[in-house]
Amino acid sequence: MIVAKEKNGIHNSATWIPLEQELVVLSIQVHPAQGIFYILWSDYQESVAMFSANDFSIVDNRLSNRWVLSMTEDGGMILSPSAWLENDFWNNYHEEDPVANEIFQREFELMVKEWDGMDLPSSNRKQPPVD
């Protein structure tokens, strides 16, 4: 799935993603009380982060072949690579665990490769930096 940033939301996403940049959606999270969120890579911050879907328009609505559906305890859902749904994956990734980083990079690369040949900014085709 490809989205383009249309506006800067309440979390000051301007310091994370420039307006009109098209990005590969890495995961979608739906939280009944908070709304819909996209997990995206930010070149500005050299990090992955969650952004409100309200700030983006959908450029291509095809879903990643890497995604599986997981239901949450609060009645929400997550579309994500299955490896990212494992217990403590995101905590381990943000704590710079080398195994979690390798899993993230592998899934990131596979999802971006699904869009090879599309006219996307080059920032969407590079891997996140390895620490």
Side-chain angles (χ1 to χ4, degrees):
M1 183 169 159
I2 306 294
V3 295
K5 185 164 176 217
E6 286 191 335
K7 62 182 180 180
N8 293 320
I10 59 173
H11 299 294
N12 194 18
S13 57
T15 61
W16 286 79
I17 298 172
L19 285 173
E20 300 180 8
Q21 182 175 4
E22 293 183 358
L23 298 160
V24 174
V25 177
L26 304 176
S27 178
I28 300 174
Q29 297 187 10
V30 179
H31 301 281
Q34 293 93 13
I36 301 171
F37 297 89
Y38 299 142
I39 305 298
L40 304 168
W41 178 260
S42 166
D43 281 344
Y44 281 1
Q45 300 294 326
E46 296 185 352
S47 181
V48 65
M50 185 165 50
F51 300 93
S52 173
N54 293 332
D55 294 348
F56 298 84
S57 62
I58 296 174
V59 175
D60 191 314
N61 65 1
R62 289 176 290 169
L63 303 180
S64 172
N65 292 323
R66 305 296 307 159
W67 290 352
V68 297
L69 175 66
S70 176
M71 302 305 291
T72 63
E73 292 178 7
D74 66 352
M77 64 175 217
I78 300 171
L79 288 167
S80 175
S82 61
W84 294 2
L85 297 171
E86 297 295 322
N87 288 339
D88 294 325
F89 169 76
W90 285 111
N91 288 335
N92 294 338
Y93 174 77
H94 288 294
E95 291 176 6
E96 301 181 5
D97 176 78
V99 173
N101 187 55
E102 180 180 323
I103 291 168
F104 175 84
Q105 290 205 26
R106 179 186 69 232
E107 294 296 335
F108 178 94
E109 183 177 317
L110 289 169
M111 282 186 279
V112 170
K113 282 183 181 180
E114 290 178 328
W115 301 101
D116 276 352
M118 288 188 60
D119 186 23
L120 291 176
S122 61
S123 62
N124 282 287
R125 296 179 192 256
K126 72 177 187 182
Q127 285 186 287
V130 178
D131 293 325

